[in-house]
Amino acid sequence: MKRIQKYLVLSAAFLLVGIVSNCKNEAKSETSTATSAEENTHKQGQAFIKDDLSTPTVLDIAIGSPDHTTLVAAVQAASLENVLVNAGPLMVFAPTNEAFAALPEGTVEDLLKPENKDALANILKYHVTPGNYSKEFLKKFKKLGQANDQSVMIEVKGDDVYVGGAKIIASISAGNGIVHVVDKVMLPPSE
């Protein structure tokens, strides 16, 4: 009888040690899963896949341009990176850092605040059109429908093309569309 009691006590002890050990492993697993889930939710999607072989997307072009760091910061603040790497075609009117600096003082800083994410996204989407049209081809249009469901007017003055009052100063082809560099931030009309 004593032998059976000893056996039961030892078995219970081993079982208890096994359970405690397993609980510790599960806790570690849950912690590491939670940590990696938190890291992944912020930077998921095609925009965060590195690919040195494909033709650069409109986002890659903006990221690679020292004249568009403010635009890139705004795209990141509005969480629109994945939109700009879609197959497209996308036509992006990309304001330069100087164009952002010309806005009233404090405007950019205010728009980059988390509570203004929707307003910022609306402004940025006003700079994107479905399509892939050269500057020359844009001369045939009077207006374009933008990604924020509003329209922007096109004006031709000599050889210059203005979209929403912003002059196209350069154009760069991308794998998923075209980037037209503009000298002004286009603000959507308030509804």
Side-chain angles (χ1 to χ4, degrees), residues 92-173:
V92 175
F93 299 99
T96 62
N97 292 340
E98 287 180 6
F100 279 101
L103 291 171
E105 189 174 331
T107 302
V108 173
E109 293 79 10
D110 192 46
L111 284 170
L112 292 176
K113 292 178 182 175
E115 61 267 22
N116 295 325
K117 184 177 181 178
D118 290 341
L120 177 61
N122 184 51
I123 292 169
L124 293 173
K125 289 176 183 179
Y126 191 62
H127 289 78
V128 179
T129 304
N132 184 358
Y133 308 130
S134 68
K135 178 180 161 183
E136 277 305 307
F137 195 74
L138 284 173
K139 290 179 179 180
K140 299 177 182 188
F141 290 84
K142 295 287 183 206
K143 66 180 180 177
L144 294 172
Q146 302 303 88
N148 73 337
D149 294 328
Q150 291 182 306
S151 294
V152 66
M153 301 306 292
I154 296 183
E155 271 186 281
V156 178
K157 297 178 184 176
D159 285 336
D160 294 326
V161 176
Y162 292 81
V163 179
K167 180 180 174 182
I168 296 175
I169 55 177
S171 300
I172 304 131
S173 292

